[in-house]
């Protein structure tokens, strides 16, 4: 018989961060810590009351539970990661300091101070981690010193105390170094990821989207039922093979680049441009009727015919179709492609709209 797996998905709020986001693991640590704190503090409070009869420690644990729950609720409502990281770090350090005071200088309490360094450096970064860790360690030293002056027996020798403090200082320096290298490595990884993503989505020659990215974007629009007022256009440069044969492939590449630049200049920012393949390009003109799309493409044809890239004239043929909610991307492409074929049959250098 399979045991039922316990799930805590209800506890975790969803945030739009991928593993390539710097906040991804911060959010994970915040959520895990708050879940642990809200689960363990009530148990510790009950144990201290009924087992050890220590009301003071029980109150500290109860305070930790209340503060952790408040931070969790605020995090769920606001989603502010940096603010929550600071609140959680302050909560953990405050509970630790309260514990140090409550045990009246007994030396084992100093061990808890060491958790502040990795915790705050990870959540707050180099500056915040250094600041909060330094303040916490100074407060710890001050409290132990005051308690030693008051005659409270400390079970840790002076040499051992120095060792603990020295180890804490070394940890501070090491974690500061670690955080710096982690930040540098993350930025490098992020830059490489963005560069790789850009290469996978764009045409290397013209810089516009490639076919796969265009299909992905248009498919998403169709799935969201927001594409009913858009038009799909396929454009094919006329007699482009003759350009390559007569002027060479470098000249042909220059024509493709100039054509892509013209598309970018004479379309709107929210329109989608892509190289479909070879000398074919594709557009998604948003929020236009079929008649408006045809006028815009004809205007674009006039612009392209005036390109001064070569001594010869450059023109294109285009097929246009209206998007609708019932058509899939394959149907739209076929309709636009059929319209393009008709434009070619009509003598090229013209625009044909599928009715």
């Amino acid at each position: 018989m399979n045991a039922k797996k316990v799930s805590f998905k209800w506890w975790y709020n969803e945030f739009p961060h991928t593993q390539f986001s710097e906040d991804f693991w911060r959010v994970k640590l915040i959520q895990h810590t708050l879940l642990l704190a809200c689960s363990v503090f009530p148990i510790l409070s009950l144990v201290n009351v009924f087992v050890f009869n220590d009301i003071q420690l029980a109150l500290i644990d109860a305070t930790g539970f209340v503060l952790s729950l408040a931070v969790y609720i605020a995090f769920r409502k606001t989603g502010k990661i940096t603010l929550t990281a600071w609140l959680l770090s302050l909560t953990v350090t405050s509970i630790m300091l309260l514990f140090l005071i409550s045990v009246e200088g007994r030396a084992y309490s100093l061990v808890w101070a060491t958790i502040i360094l990795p915790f705050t450096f990870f959540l707050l970064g180099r500056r915040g981690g250094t600041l909060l860790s330094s303040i916490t360690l100074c407060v710890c030293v001050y409290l132990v010193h005051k308690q030693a002056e008051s005659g409270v027996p400390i079970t840790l020798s002076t040499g051992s105390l120095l060792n603990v403090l020295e180890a804490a200082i070394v940890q501070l320096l090491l974690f500061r170094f670690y955080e710096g290298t982690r930040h540098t490595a993350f930025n490098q990884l992020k830059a490489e990821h963005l560069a790789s993503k850009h290469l996978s989505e764009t045409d290397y020659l013209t810089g516009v989207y490639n076919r796969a990215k265009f299909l992905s974007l248009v498919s998403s629009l169709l799935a969201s039922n927001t594409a009913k007022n858009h038009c799909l256009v396929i454009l094919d440069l006329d007699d482009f093979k003759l350009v390559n044969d007569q002027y060479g492939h470098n000249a042909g590449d220059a024509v493709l680049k100039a054509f892509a630049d013209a598309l970018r200049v004479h379309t709107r920012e929210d329109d989608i441009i892509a190289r479909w393949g070879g000398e074919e390009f594709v557009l998604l003109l948003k929020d236009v009727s079929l008649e408006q799309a045809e006028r815009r493409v004809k205007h674009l044809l006039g612009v392209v015919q005036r390109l001064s890239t070569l001594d010869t004239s450059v023109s294109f043929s285009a097929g246009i179709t209206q998007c609708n909610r019932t058509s899939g991307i394959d149907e739209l492409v076929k309709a636009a492609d059929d319209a393009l074929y008709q434009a070619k049959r009509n003598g090229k250098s013209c625009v044909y709209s599928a009715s």
Side-chain angles (χ1 to χ4, degrees), residues 106-125:
R106 292 195 293 272
Y108 64 83
S109 60
L110 284 174
V111 176
W112 290 101
T114 61
I115 71 171
I116 299 302
L117 285 90
F119 190 76
T120 56
F121 268 90
F122 194 93
L123 283 184
L124 305 179

Side-chain angles (χ1 to χ4, degrees), residues 2-298:
N2 294 329
K4 189 175 181 180
K5 188 177 180 180
V6 178
S7 175
F8 292 97
K9 288 184 178 180
W10 53 270
W11 177 268
Y12 295 97
N13 199 10
E14 294 296 328
F15 289 90
H17 301 294
T18 66
Q19 291 190 19
F20 288 101
S21 168
E22 190 172 12
D23 285 327
F24 178 82
W25 292 110
R26 291 176 72 201
V27 170
K28 288 293 183 185
L29 180 59
I30 288 171
Q31 292 175 327
H32 292 336
T33 302
L34 289 172
L35 176 61
L36 184 64
C38 290
S39 303
V40 172
F41 274 133
I43 297 174
L44 291 177
S45 184
L46 292 174
V47 169
N48 282 317
V49 170
F50 295 105
V51 177
F52 298 107
N53 196 29
D54 193 329
I55 303 300
Q56 190 174 26
L57 282 181
L59 288 175
I60 292 175
D61 293 329
T63 302
F65 168 72
V66 172
L67 291 176
S68 299
L69 186 60
V71 172
Y72 171 74
I73 293 172
F75 190 38
R76 292 280 297 201
K77 288 185 176 180
T78 66
K80 294 181 178 179
I81 298 171
T82 301
L83 175 62
T84 305
W86 272 100
L87 291 175
L88 183 56
S89 298
L90 290 171
T91 296
V92 171
T93 53
S94 298
I95 296 302
M96 187 275 295
L97 292 176
L98 286 173
F99 172 71
L100 182 63
I101 295 171
S102 70
V103 297
E104 298 178 345
R106 292 195 293 272
Y108 64 83
S109 60
L110 284 174
V111 176
W112 290 101
T114 61
I115 71 171
I116 299 302
L117 285 90
F119 190 76
T120 56
F121 268 90
F122 194 93
L123 283 184
L124 305 179
R126 296 180 70 190
R127 292 183 179 179
T130 301
L131 175 63
L132 197 55
S133 296
S134 299
I135 293 174
T136 302
L137 292 175
C138 289
V139 172
C140 288
V141 172
Y142 174 76
L143 289 173
V144 172
H145 173 70
K146 292 296 289 183
Q147 290 166 359
E149 284 188 338
S150 66
V152 176
I154 301 178
T155 58
L156 197 64
S157 66
T158 302
S160 299
L161 178 60
L162 289 175
N163 284 332
V164 172
L165 293 177
E166 289 167 0
I169 292 172
V170 170
Q171 282 193 65
L172 189 150
L173 295 175
L174 287 175
F175 277 108
R176 182 174 174 82
F177 173 78
Y178 158 76
E179 184 63 23
T181 56
R182 187 188 70 85
H183 185 71
T184 301
F186 172 81
N187 285 340
Q188 182 178 354
L189 179 62
K190 184 178 180 180
E192 292 174 356
H193 171 68
L194 291 176
S196 176
K197 186 173 183 289
H198 178 75
L199 288 174
S200 69
E201 294 179 346
T202 57
D203 174 61
Y204 75 97
L205 179 65
T206 61
V208 298
Y209 285 131
N210 58 24
R211 183 172 185 157
K213 181 61 176 178
F214 180 84
L215 290 174
S216 174
L217 291 173
V218 176
S219 296
S220 297
L221 280 174
L222 293 174
S224 64
N225 291 327
T226 60
K228 64 177 182 177
N229 294 322
H230 305 335
C231 285
L232 184 71
V233 186
I234 297 181
L235 311 96
D236 182 85
L237 290 172
D238 296 324
D239 301 318
F240 184 72
K241 185 177 183 300
L242 296 178
V243 174
N244 279 331
D245 292 342
Q246 185 174 354
Y247 296 96
H249 288 283
N250 288 338
D253 289 348
V255 170
L256 292 174
K257 291 178 183 178
F259 183 60
D261 290 340
L263 292 179
R264 275 190 286 258
V265 171
H266 295 280
T267 54
R268 296 169 302 180
E269 187 175 349
D270 59 343
D271 293 333
I272 303 175
I273 310 168
R275 186 179 178 189
W276 194 244
E279 67 272 20
E280 282 190 338
F281 289 76
V282 62
L283 303 175
L284 186 76
L285 303 178
K286 295 185 178 181
D287 299 317
V288 293
S289 64
L290 200 60
E291 294 76 15
Q292 290 172 326
E294 186 171 342
R295 286 197 298 270
R296 289 178 58 186
V297 176
K298 285 181 177 178

